[in-house]
Amino acid sequence: MFRKVLVANRGEIAVRVMRACEELGVRTVAIYSEADKHAGHVRYADEAYNVGPARAADSYLDQDAVLEAARKADADAIHPGYGFMAENADFAARVEDSECTWIGPPSEAMERLGEKTKARKVMQAAGVPVVPGTTDPVEDPAEVEAFGEENGYPIAIKAEGGGGGRGMKIVEGPDEIEDQLAAAKREGEAYFDNDSVYLERFLEAPRHIEVQIVADQHGNVRHLGERDCSLQRRHQKVIEEGPSPALSDDLRERIGQAARRGVGETNYTNAGTVEFLVEDGEFYFLEVNTRIQVEHPVTEEITGIDIVKEQIKVATGAEIGFSQDDVEIEGHAMEFRINAENAARDFAPATGTLTTYDPAGGIGVRVDDAVRQGDDIGGDYDSMIAKLIVDASDREECLARAERALREFDIQGFHTVIPFHRLMVTDERFTEGTHTTNYLDEELDPERIEQAVERWGPEETDGDDDEEVTEREFTVEVNGKRFEVNLEERGAPPIPSGGGGGGGGGGGMQRPDVATNDDDGGAVAAGEGERITAEMQGTILSVDVEPGDEVAPGDVVLVLEAMKMENDIVAEGGGTVSEVLVSEGESVDMGDPLIVLE
């Protein structure tokens, strides 16, 4: 067994891995950015090291900094969690060449399966059905147009290293090709350090089914049943469950065997997920996620198998200790992603302070998180702050238990998607299990979501917080290693609680007579014209207008990235652009002026 594992990630998945390590008697090392200096995964670890500033590319994605932290900590293994560098074959290879063991698939297998075009070739060779598409990357809009003429629209343009809907753009017709191709390549580069993309015929109303697998270094491959991830918004999963309510026993068996067969052809070891689309009784290979999945707890609850522990054991060279026949699916489980988002405002990211954090409990309820009451939730990273996992004897009981647990889960200080989840566990299409991947985006009435948020959203606060602070925590770094010092202050002045919700997918219109504040707290007089302001914290990805341009209501004026999501900022009223106050790559805070219209 390993002596000390560095977890190259943050948030709840870092804590999840550390808990498994602790139960195995393994010490843990956290890494953190400046924005995460006081984060939950840092508090949990045995030791922690700073790897850079808030921007992920300069910290969590900095391979040299992460490897240097492992060297300083004298760690003998690295677990990547999910996201960041979890599916980066180059990083895995560097770890394999170091003194650390990579707790994941071999870099060669990751390279074959992690890039989607190569994975499609592997699966085709193994006799696994695939969606019609390209097996080589595309570079030119003409290639996309030719594919559309042959296969029809819509077309999915997908980043090679993408996943979870990131790096995927849908083309409805030829006039969208150029913009969507550029956007997919840009997201692939930003999130996965790989701007290569490929094409697939877009299935419009499928079920999204994934099969959890575990493989060891002795040639054993096991599948642990399937999860249904069909409830999605913009290709981002929001609720996952297992087993799927949509599969027949025959189809379930065929999909499970196809997953084992495809993975078995690649010399793959460790955990992974083979994803499929199911439509009209047929299934098609989608992709392989060469890592642990966000929704892995669903499978753990219905099989009793700790997948993270299996990852760690397999990485030591141990043989899987159970046969395929030993895997039994019992009961039903669901996972609800608790995201800091305002569902009534197009699921816009929300930031603020957790003035109340009281998770649900009781029989059949599990919460994976890395936060506590009083923590600040910023917009630097993914919007998920916790996961609620519920299991029961069958799906009906699971839905009833989930409704109870979501009602108990109390978060105040900003908006979360809990009201949306409370709506869904009583929604007829979802409770009947007949929903498809396009249900949320194309069929569910947005007014129902708005009503749910109004009814169950966070309580309004008056901002009156006169509580005195009597203890403060300071962080001291020595040679990059983090140490905590607690000092007590008597008669300390009150500190504002912060808080506040997030914004919508469009910019807000600020009247010219409203002043804004600069960084030093001084008033900045607003100029003439209406200002489009940032309704969320984020980074400017592109500015699509310049002074003198005429814009109509609803026109996109710029694209703002917040919590790994691209948000089109639109003009609510028409006019002429008189000023552009931001530039590409610039970071903005909620309320910052972006564009002035006359």
Side-chain angles (χ1 to χ4, degrees):
M1 184 50 64
F2 300 118
R3 175 177 41 82
K4 186 186 291 188
V5 171
L6 181 143
V7 183
N9 217 295
R10 64 178 301 279
E12 64 82 22
I13 186 57
V15 172
R16 168 71 185 94
V17 174
M18 291 173 189
R19 284 174 170 153
C21 288
E22 185 176 21
E23 292 179 15
L24 292 171
V26 179
R27 291 181 61 79
T28 57
V29 181
I31 58 172
Y32 64 95
S33 70
E34 290 292 341
D36 275 343
K37 187 172 293 186
H38 302 294
H41 73 286
V42 179
R43 296 191 294 258
Y44 194 94
D46 293 311
E47 53 189 290
Y49 293 82
N50 188 326
V51 290
R55 185 169 179 263
D58 300 322
S59 52
Y60 293 108
L61 292 171
D62 186 334
Q63 297 185 19
D64 291 334
V66 175
L67 290 171
E68 176 62 14
R71 185 194 65 78
K72 287 180 179 179
D74 192 27
D76 54 351
I78 293 178
H79 193 301
Y82 54 72
F84 293 132
M85 294 188 290
E87 292 183 279
N88 189 315
D90 292 336
F91 180 64
R94 292 188 66 180
V95 175
E96 291 167 345
D97 291 339
S98 73
E99 296 181 357
C100 290
T101 297
W102 173 251
I103 303 179
S107 58
E108 182 179 350
M110 290 178 67
E111 200 271 336
R112 292 186 68 192
L113 292 175
E115 291 193 358
K116 308 305 190 269
T117 55
K118 294 179 180 179
R120 287 168 59 87
K121 292 178 182 178
V122 169
M123 292 297 164
Q124 283 179 319
V128 179
V130 300
V131 179
T134 61
T135 53
D136 292 304
V138 299
E139 294 286 344
D140 193 280
E143 298 177 77
V144 184
E145 187 170 2
F147 182 86
E149 290 176 355
E150 180 179 350
N151 296 278
Y153 292 89
I155 301 169
I157 305 178
K158 295 186 173 184
E160 287 267 23
R166 298 191 181 97
M168 180 169 74
K169 299 297 177 182
I170 306 304
V171 178
E172 299 289 350
D175 58 333
E176 299 180 4
I177 289 175
E178 189 169 344
D179 288 344
Q180 297 293 55
L181 178 61
K185 292 174 72 66
R186 184 172 63 241
E187 285 191 12
E189 176 66 29
Y191 300 137
F192 311 105
D193 197 27
N194 181 354
D195 69 353
S196 181
V197 299
Y198 68 104
L199 309 177
E200 277 186 356
R201 178 75 172 89
F202 184 65
L203 300 181
E204 298 192 68
R207 298 292 292 226
H208 187 133
I209 306 296
E210 60 186 28
V211 178
Q212 177 70 57
I213 62 95
V214 180
D216 63 25
Q217 299 172 23
H218 306 276
N220 300 305
V221 181
R222 308 282 185 260
H223 80 76
L224 309 183
E226 87 282 353
R227 298 183 290 259
D228 193 314
C229 306
S230 300
L231 197 71
Q232 302 178 4
R233 179 187 169 274
R234 294 182 182 174
H235 314 292
Q236 290 280 337
K237 304 167 187 174
V238 292
I239 300 176
E240 302 96 347
E241 62 180 307
S244 169
L247 299 187
S248 65
D249 290 341
D250 175 67
L251 189 54
R252 175 174 288 112
E253 176 66 20
R254 288 194 289 135
I255 289 178
Q257 291 305 319
R260 290 185 70 193
R261 186 169 65 251
V263 168
E265 294 292 323
T266 64
N267 194 33
Y268 189 98
T269 63
N270 217 269
T273 306
V274 186
E275 302 201 352
F276 299 91
L277 295 179
V278 176
E279 193 172 65
D280 298 328
E282 299 296 330
F283 67 94
Y284 305 93
F285 169 75
L286 179 62
E287 63 186 17
V288 177
N289 289 299
T290 58
R291 54 170 168 80
I292 195 75
Q293 287 276 81
V294 175
E295 57 272 20
H296 74 274
V298 168
T299 298
E300 292 182 329
E301 296 306 310
I302 59 177
T303 64
I305 296 172
D306 187 323
I307 299 172
V308 177
K309 282 186 181 178
E310 290 299 321
Q311 284 189 289
I312 297 169
K313 292 175 183 178
V314 165
T316 68
E319 189 171 357
I320 295 174
F322 55 88
S323 68
Q324 186 62 57
D325 290 340
D326 291 332
V327 178
E328 295 184 1
I329 308 300
E330 296 185 359
H332 199 92
M334 292 183 178
E335 177 180 287
F336 301 84
R337 301 188 185 199
I338 309 301
N339 296 343
E341 297 172 0
N342 186 345
R345 304 188 71 174
D346 202 26
F347 290 81
T351 59
T353 300
L354 279 169
T355 55
T356 298
Y357 184 71
D358 188 9
I363 186 170
V365 174
R366 164 180 168 180
V367 175
D368 284 13
D369 61 18
V371 296
R372 66 184 178 191
Q373 190 163 298
D375 281 358
D376 292 322
I377 306 299
D380 296 296
Y381 310 110
D382 191 275
S383 60
M384 188 173 67
I385 58 175
K387 300 186 307 196
L388 171 67
I389 305 98
V390 178
D391 71 275
S393 59
D394 56 32
R395 193 171 187 267
E396 183 178 4
E397 183 182 38
C398 192
L399 285 165
R401 183 164 290 166
E403 185 177 4
R404 184 266 297 173
L406 288 162
R407 187 170 57 249
E408 289 181 5
F409 209 137
D410 187 14
I411 294 179
Q412 301 294 330
F414 49 83
H415 283 277
T416 72
V417 294
I418 288 177
F420 165 78
H421 288 319
R422 292 182 66 175
L423 170 65
M424 294 316 302
V425 295
T426 60
D427 177 77
E428 184 176 359
R429 282 289 300 278
F430 182 71
T431 56
E432 290 178 349
T434 59
H435 58 287
T436 61
T437 57
N438 64 0
Y439 176 58
L440 295 185
D441 291 332
E442 300 178 13
E443 299 180 46
L444 184 66
D445 185 352
E447 288 189 9
R448 295 182 61 203
I449 299 178
E450 294 172 7
Q451 291 166 0
V453 173
E454 183 177 353
R455 180 179 180 186
W456 297 313
E459 299 172 358
E460 295 294 331
T461 61
D462 58 11
D464 182 15
D465 185 1
D466 57 1
E467 180 181 356
E468 292 191 351
V469 177
T470 58
E471 184 175 297
R472 291 193 179 189
E473 180 182 272
F474 293 86
T475 300
V476 178
E477 292 179 6
V478 179
N479 194 26
K481 186 175 181 179
R482 180 181 188 276
F483 297 90
E484 292 181 357
V485 178
N486 293 316
L487 295 179
E488 185 176 279
E489 295 186 55
R490 299 189 181 276
I495 297 176
S497 62
M509 300 302 294
Q510 179 178 295
R511 297 302 308 175
D513 56 349
V514 177
T516 59
N517 292 326
D518 62 17
D519 290 340
D520 298 323
V524 179
E528 294 184 358
E530 291 185 313
R531 294 191 172 200
I532 300 176
T533 59
E535 292 196 357
M536 64 193 77
Q537 181 185 34
T539 302
I540 304 297
L541 284 184
S542 68
V543 178
D544 300 330
V545 295
E546 57 186 32
D549 286 352
E550 295 288 336
V551 298
D555 283 354
V556 177
V557 295
L558 56 81
V559 179
L560 176 68
E561 177 202 35
M563 292 184 175
K564 296 187 177 181
M565 293 178 64
E566 288 193 9
N567 300 272
D568 290 339
I569 306 303
V570 302
E572 294 182 7
T576 302
V577 177
S578 61
E579 290 183 82
V580 177
L581 304 174
V582 292
S583 57
E584 184 177 327
E586 185 176 341
S587 295
V588 297
D589 290 322
M590 184 169 62
D592 283 356
L594 307 173
I595 304 288
V596 179
L597 299 180
E598 292 184 343

